[in-house]
Amino acid sequence: MQNLNWSELPFGYVKTKYNLRSVFKNGKWGDIEISDSEHVSVHIAATGLHYGQEAFEGMKAYRGKDGKIRLFRWIENCKRMQRSAEGIMMEEVPKELFYNMITKAVELNLDFVPPYGTGAALYIRPFLFGSGPRVGVQPADEYTFIVFVSPVGPYFKEGFNPVKIAVVRDSDRAAPQGTGHIKVGGNYAASLKSIKRVKGEGYGSPMYLDAKEKKYIDEIGAANFFAIKKNTYITPKSPSILPSITNMSLEQLAQHLGYKTERRPVEFDEIETFEEIGACGTAAIISPIGEIKDLDNGKIYKFCKDGKAGPVSTKLYETLVGIQYGDIEDPFEWVTVLDL
Ligand SMILES: *Cc1c(COP(=O)(O)O)cnc(C)c1O
């Protein structure tokens, strides 16, 4: 085991031993290459550099009390990456290659999988980009798929404590018929200015409203939004939201625990009627939202009045994290225990 301060790890990059690569060329995927370099040599005219042919995934490997390492719903990350590839005309990574590379990346960096009980996990970052040269705008004929890993702590430094969010209307991360529904790099470039703006105002992440009418809630930074009202788990439906695997799991879990669920357009004006609200994604699982500020009119909405997450969010968080670390039985077959 590496000598790292596991429970204080930021959500950031830590150098590990190896990463894995495979290149699609001449119509087929090449052998998996194990690399100890943090760099990649890319053609100066690669479409990934010029025309945004790039997609990524984010998932975690969790070490349980029994020492075993678990992946959570990796097949969903694989399918989403295939949809991302399809959406921007890249070569899809086959399921077997995806699985072989993520598991090999964990195996070769076992020392970096944080110990049980630290709240940390090994973040796995698969990404795919056009590496073949083009000058005119068209898809490349060569693609590079890389998987690296990095031990991470919780995404929001507050951990499972309320965060502050600010609504932005002067920029959109994605358009209704654009690429918001797939995990492609361009969406994140489009979000950088609004992230900087809200941080400058003392808020953690921006809340995006739908780009067309600015009436409905879309997302929060790189996380989905959910709300609890009258024993119902509510999450927005919109063509420009990235379908979060965490959100989908919380929704299923909510049903399993006896709550109702609704996936529908959610007007921002409904916010005052919610009992609990939160952001969800692989990085922090759930970040309860304690405050939302509307930067246009200065209006502030407060939640978690006692400074703590609400009871339903807490229950969902504890159950999902319990399943991921193997503390709670997994009735959904979401977890893959690795044979390492
Ligand atoms: C990755 C991501 C999420 C969270 O998805 P998970 O599968 O739960 O990690 C939500 N929104 C955006 C924009 C994302 O990029």
Side-chain angles (χ1 to χ4, degrees):
M1 192 80 70
Q2 293 286 315
N3 191 14
L4 292 172
N5 191 357
W6 303 104
S7 30
E8 295 293 315
L9 279 178
F11 189 87
Y13 180 80
V14 172
K15 185 180 188 305
T16 58
K17 280 202 202 104
Y18 301 106
N19 58 81
L20 296 164
R21 300 143 186 239
S22 177
V23 176
F24 179 88
K25 197 158 59 181
N26 302 323
K28 62 176 197 319
W29 285 99
D31 292 341
I32 298 172
E33 181 207 339
I34 299 173
S35 174
D36 61 4
S37 166
E38 293 171 280
H39 298 271
V40 54
S41 175
V42 186
H43 194 289
I44 55 172
T47 60
L49 297 179
H50 297 263
Y51 303 131
Q53 268 202 310
E54 192 273 348
F56 65 96
E57 273 304 322
M59 50 201 297
K60 283 175 176 173
Y62 303 85
R63 194 190 289 276
K65 208 182 271 176
D66 54 8
K68 294 207 174 100
I69 295 166
R70 290 164 171 79
L71 296 179
F72 182 72
R73 305 190 82 172
W74 70 269
I75 188 74
E76 296 299 333
N77 293 93
C78 176
K79 288 197 289 201
R80 189 168 64 191
M81 183 163 229
Q82 291 179 336
R83 291 198 301 272
S84 298
E86 197 273 331
I88 55 170
M89 300 195 72
M90 299 195 291
E91 185 64 28
E92 283 178 14
V93 176
K95 195 170 79 186
E96 300 69 35
L97 183 63
F98 186 91
Y99 183 75
N100 288 343
M101 284 178 61
I102 58 172
T103 49
K104 194 96 193 145
V106 175
E107 186 181 348
L108 292 173
N109 295 290
L110 267 188
D111 271 11
F112 290 91
V113 186
Y116 174 80
T118 55
L122 187 72
Y123 184 73
I124 306 173
R125 168 55 63 88
F127 66 107
L128 172 70
F129 61 96
S131 47
R134 294 285 190 216
V135 173
V137 179
Q138 57 175 311
D141 57 4
E142 182 192 303
Y143 292 89
T144 300
F145 178 51
I146 302 182
V147 180
F148 74 77
V149 297
S150 177
V152 293
Y155 188 70
F156 290 97
K157 62 179 185 316
E158 293 91 346
F160 191 64
N161 284 318
V163 296
K164 291 163 73 180
I165 301 297
V167 183
V168 290
R169 289 193 180 75
D170 62 350
S171 74
D172 299 309
R173 65 173 286 279
Q177 299 192 83
T179 53
H181 62 296
I182 51 179
K183 218 168 168 81
V184 299
N187 298 342
Y188 304 85
S191 72
L192 293 174
K193 275 197 164 173
S194 55
I195 293 171
K196 178 149 191 260
R197 178 171 175 216
V198 304
K199 294 224 157 127
E201 304 255 357
Y203 287 78
S205 295
M207 172 183 274
Y208 298 106
L209 303 182
D210 78 287
K212 196 169 164 192
E213 294 185 76
K214 297 276 189 273
K215 189 169 163 193
Y216 301 97
I217 298 174
D218 252 9
E219 289 203 72
I220 297 182
N224 277 186
F225 172 84
F226 73 90
I228 307 294
K229 176 160 91 176
K230 295 193 183 128
N231 284 316
T232 308
Y233 180 93
I234 301 164
T235 193
K237 184 179 162 119
S238 150
S240 43
I241 289 179
L242 192 277
S244 153
I245 298 161
T246 313
N247 192 11
M248 174 169 78
S249 307
L250 291 170
E251 196 180 24
Q252 280 176 258
L253 202 53
Q255 285 168 6
H256 182 76
L257 296 171
Y259 299 100
K260 283 179 280 192
T261 62
E262 289 175 8
R263 196 176 274 256
R264 57 167 170 83
V266 177
E267 280 190 34
F268 180 71
D269 288 345
E270 197 179 339
I271 204 112
E272 284 174 292
T273 69
F274 293 138
E275 294 151 19
E276 300 175 32
I277 55 173
C280 62
T282 295
I285 309 304
I286 286 181
S287 297
I289 296 170
E291 180 176 324
I292 297 192
K293 180 173 182 181
D294 192 327
L295 291 183
D296 275 14
N297 58 21
K299 208 167 163 193
I300 290 177
Y301 303 83
K302 295 219 175 199
F303 296 85
C304 317
K305 300 258 156 58
D306 55 357
K308 289 200 309 242
V312 181
S313 304
T314 305
K315 175 83 188 156
L316 289 171
Y317 175 82
E318 285 173 354
T319 312
L320 188 59
V321 171
I323 290 174
Q324 290 170 331
Y325 282 99
D327 293 333
I328 294 178
E329 197 216 334
D330 166 21
F332 308 98
E333 298 185 22
W334 284 342
V335 169
T336 305
V337 181
L338 298 183
D339 190 16
L340 301 175

